[in-house]
Amino acid sequence: MRAMVLLSLRNIRKNKIRFGLTTFAVLLGVSFVVASFVLSDGLRSSLNTMIGTGFENVDVQVRAESDLDEIAFTDRQIDESVADILVDIDGVAAVDPNTDSMSVTPLNGNGEPLGSMMSPVVAVSWDGSEIGALRLVDGRVPGPGEFVLDQATAERENMVIGQTYDVVGSRGPEPFELVGINRFGEEGTLGDFGMASFQLAELQRLDESEGLVRYIDVAGEPGVDAEVLASRIDAALPSGVEAVAQEALVSELEDELGGVISIFGNVLLAFALVAVFVSTFIIGNTFNILLGQRVRQLSLLRALGASSRQIRFGALFEALVIGLVASIVGLAGGVGLALGLRWIMDLMGLSLPTIDIIINARTIILALVVGIGVTLVASLSPARRAASISPMAGMRAGFRFGSGEGTKRTIIAIVLAVIGAAGIAYGLFGGSDNTALLFSVLGLGAVCAFVAVSMFSPLFSSPSASFLGLPLEHLPGNKITGHMARKNAAKNNKRTASTAAGLMIGLALIAMASVVATSLKSSFRAEMESTVVSDYFVTASNQGSFSSRVGEQVAALPEVESVSSVRYGNARIGGEQHGVTAAEIELLDELLDVGLVSGDPTASPDATDLLLQSDVAEELGVAVGDTVPVDFAAGGTVTMTVSGIYENSFLVGDYMIDLSAWESYFTDQNDATLSIKLADGVTLEEAGEALQPLAAAFPQLEFETNAEFQERVEGQLDTLLIIINVFLGLAIVIALLGITNTMALSVLERTREIGLMRAIGMTRRQTRSLVRLEAGVVSVFGALLGVAVGIIFGWFAVLAIPGEMIDRLTIPYLSLAIYVVIAAVAGLVAASFPARRASRLNILDSINEM
């Protein structure tokens, strides 16, 4: 075996560029895997440190007691007078009542609201207390008519101490002086998550929550155990209020943020596995070509006494070296990629806090498993095939190393296709409550389906390449070159199929995402046109809430016929927590067409009315007039009567209550959306002019027509699609490396052929064109195959997504055509290096090449 090791190392040294390209393809996949873990582990560590810092001096926190998650920025409010109870409890050293608000928004020097949906700036109360995490950096603690801003936001918005800025509260903008800069503990930043600090009484006045706070931080006396202190406080608290000790509080927040980070990390890992999957095709193709070029050498070794086992070992050892190098370098590359991904997210408005660089043992092990495992698995088939060739057959002129056809291969492809279809069907339509199982089966099914397609593709790659290359034979002044490029692409069906496979996978996923996004936009547009009767919408630019006073002022305009506030919260219905929508049911017919099936909920709605979507009503086994117990966080259990059943849950969800019920059973009385119907004869232009003073008074709000609201939502979907495509683009880059690698190896394989063509008059320019055009044909084949598979996958996804989200299949033909063109151009560019190398080959040396 020692001789085979030395021979393998010699082959790697001799073909450094080719093995380097292969290693780089694996390295990219490994780096993405490492980056996903480094980023998620670093974020988790940084946020856990921040949480620990934030609650370092908080022994106990007092807050509203609830086992429901209300859709509000923080927990429910409690009476501020609870703080008076706490100061007299034995062991309490200090009490710090606090509140926060998403409906209070400072403006910068240009009159623009601070923060956005991706980078919110939250108004918090702060009196300079050392109990919490905020620390003064410059200036002073805020008083009446003053506020303090966190350091990162102040620098980003160029806001200066001593200057006066408007702050928009429930009554509109008021001038406030910026008197200080603070920061969150020692870290100083929470990414783009900013905080504007106000005196407690001022913030309560601004959002009309006088006498109410979100939570009360308690510091115990030295030597008092936090758990003991929490028990003492709990015993003295009124009903509906609880005390949580520091350890439980920190653990709770770490678990909540850890869950979000895990989702984020898993999404990155999914993209990383796509890149690794594409890499396996490139490695397998590369080893097929390399070993195919060395058939004579390997056969000669067999003739001299080397066993099949030694030949197989030599090929696998080369793969092992590549995988090991890729894994080691990929660890360093993963750290750099993690920082790069964080920078990209900053550019997209998804700023993250500074992350700790953490490389756990798990990350190192996975990097080695992925890098070495992928290369070994991908090289198994070529190694086995090379070892099985008889010495005499391998030394025969014209021997072909595998055609990609055969009964055994076809049977395996059919089995994989069946398994893939079953896995995809179960993952999309299985209906299991185990999300991890569904995604695992779906992923396995997709892998099997892609492998099956790649195994089937050699059966039709030659005729497809010949057909796609037909236009090349009619290129002006380059017909001969185009003819040869077409023939070369069609000549080796397996090579063409394998080279195109990586591109096929990347384009298939991008095409699938495009089909789903376009279908979602099309469904949303159709639902808006058929369901929404409202002429105008008012929403907060940061997707937060805003004062109900805005709705009162809108309703007072003569141009407006009716206005309904819309609010979103949670309640327990049928033993499970569900989202509920609150609106003025009396105005339901004027604002939405929900497809009422039974009942007349608009007649005389009250706080006990409940409207259900028809499928939900059937599931609960109730009809109009039946009663349903509903648990609210603030209102307790309420027996509600089903007053209406509707079909269309678009924008309203499956459960609706009247606004009077919200006012009775929820503490937060701010609005999430206003839905406006104009008076008869009033045009949108006239309404816009009438609403302009309110838009100026509340610049943090979006006053949009139906069409503008629709356009903005569609724009958000487009942004999401761009983000997905950016991450999937890595798979495309790896696929293009595969094209570069394949064309470089193809040039080497046809060195003598190229030399002969140059000798009989082919110019260097024609030689470059020959290689590029061949790569172009392969790229178009892979792109078209990927688009076709992507459309099928997109169709399955549309069928699996609930009808209230997507009810139609829409194929973005123009976008898909653009993707194919981009892939073709990218293939031409990827072939530039091997094309240039082919054109510079020495004619005589090439002819003498054996």
Side-chain angles (χ1 to χ4, degrees), residues 579-598:
V580 296
T581 302
E584 293 191 41
I585 302 301
E586 187 177 7
L587 303 175
L588 185 61
D589 290 341
E590 299 180 26
L591 302 171
L592 285 173
D593 179 9
V594 296
L596 199 64
V597 175
S598 59

Side-chain angles (χ1 to χ4, degrees), residues 340-391:
L341 287 174
R342 182 180 178 277
W343 175 74
I344 291 173
M345 290 177 187
D346 286 346
L347 293 180
M348 294 188 300
L350 296 169
S351 290
L352 302 173
T354 302
I355 63 171
D356 300 325
I357 302 300
I358 298 175
I359 303 178
N360 291 322
R362 172 205 60 190
T363 305
I364 297 174
I365 293 171
L366 279 174
L368 293 172
V369 168
V370 170
I372 297 175
V374 164
T375 50
L376 287 176
V377 168
S379 61
L380 276 175
S381 178
R384 179 186 54 78
R385 191 178 297 114
S388 64
I389 299 172
S390 69

Side-chain angles (χ1 to χ4, degrees), residues 531-556:
T531 304
V532 180
V533 185
S534 306
D535 298 304
Y536 257 90
F537 289 96
V538 180
T539 56
S541 58
N542 61 358
Q543 301 300 306
S545 58
F546 53 92
S547 172
S548 58
R549 287 180 177 270
V550 178
E552 295 171 1
Q553 295 180 58
V554 171

